[in-house]
């Protein structure tokens, strides 16, 4: 069933990652796009696994979602066409995604690493070990800090985005 929700910045659509969507006739995993005003399904994007997260870019043109199949990790989807633009190979356990305030960098959290990804090139710029079971990510309004919540051992790790070190 639904595991999360993300809204476009214009408030016109929501994107809902669905785990185990077989009962909904979509396959093993899917990202649903829903029109907020009508409540109607606009379309869907197959994910092929346990899709945990969806985050919408600041300009509402791109959705970043987890793609656990084939260890690709992060799936980048066009909001206009609801088609896959790229898969970023960072492993199969993406649980959290945050976007820098300028919209140029995506921070993706896996169970053991924080990845820094260019939105433009869709390339991994850096990664840093962070300990076990990273679950969610948030970024400070000025973009200087990424916060990563970890259910095990029950901590929040604070990273400097300029140095990628724990502060």
């Amino acid at each position: 069933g639904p595991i999360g929700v993300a809204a476009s910045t214009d408030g016109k659509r929501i994107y809902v990652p669905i785990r185990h969507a077989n009962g909904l006739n979509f396959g093993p995993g899917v990202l649903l796009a829903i029109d907020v005003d009508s409540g109607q399904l606009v379309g869907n994007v197959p994910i092929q696994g346990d899709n945990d997260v969806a985050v919408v870019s600041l300009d509402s043109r791109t959705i970043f979602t987890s793609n656990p199949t084939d260890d690709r990790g992060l799936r980048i989807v066009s909001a206009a066409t609801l088609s896959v633009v790229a898969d970023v190979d960072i492993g199969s356990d993406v649980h959290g995604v945050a976007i820098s305030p300028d919209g140029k960098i995506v921070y993706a959290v896996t169970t053991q690493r924080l990845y820094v990804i260019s939105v433009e090139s869709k390339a991994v710029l850096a990664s840093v070990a962070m300990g076990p079971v990273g679950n969610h990510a948030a970024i400070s309004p000025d973009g200087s800090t990424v916060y990563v919540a970890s259910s095990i051992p029950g901590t929040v790790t604070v990273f400097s985005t300029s140095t990628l070190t724990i502060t």
Side-chain angles (χ1 to χ4, degrees):
I3 196 76
V5 64
S8 61
T9 54
D10 62 9
K12 294 182 179 182
R13 281 189 184 175
I14 59 171
Y15 300 93
V16 182
I18 304 285
R19 279 184 165 199
H20 311 294
N22 290 328
L24 299 173
N25 297 320
F26 288 115
V30 68
L31 177 69
L32 302 180
I34 299 169
D35 180 85
V36 170
D37 290 335
S38 70
Q40 297 296 309
L41 179 66
V42 176
N44 66 81
V45 181
I47 302 299
Q48 307 301 320
D50 289 343
N51 183 5
D52 284 339
V53 65
V55 175
V56 181
S57 65
L58 302 177
D59 62 9
S60 292
R61 297 186 324 178
T62 307
I63 304 109
F64 301 91
T65 187
S66 57
N67 181 32
T69 301
D70 300 328
D71 291 335
R72 292 204 173 116
L74 187 69
R75 178 157 276 183
I76 303 173
V77 175
S78 164
T81 63
L82 294 177
S83 61
V84 176
V85 175
D87 283 315
V88 181
D89 296 337
I90 59 172
S92 64
D93 294 326
V94 175
H95 295 291
V97 176
I99 301 173
S100 65
D102 64 8
K104 294 180 180 180
I105 300 292
V106 170
Y107 297 89
V109 177
T110 67
T111 54
Q112 296 184 355
R113 298 193 76 76
L114 172 67
Y115 288 87
V116 182
I117 300 161
S118 165
V119 171
E120 183 179 340
S121 70
K122 296 157 190 59
V124 174
L125 303 175
S127 74
V128 60
M130 50 153 270
V133 193
N135 294 113
H136 297 284
I139 191 160
S140 63
D142 66 1
S144 67
T145 306
V146 173
Y147 305 93
V148 177
S150 299
S151 60
I152 300 171
T155 60
V156 174
T157 305
V158 181
F159 289 93
S160 163
T161 57
S162 62
T163 63
L164 288 182
T165 56
I166 297 172
T167 60

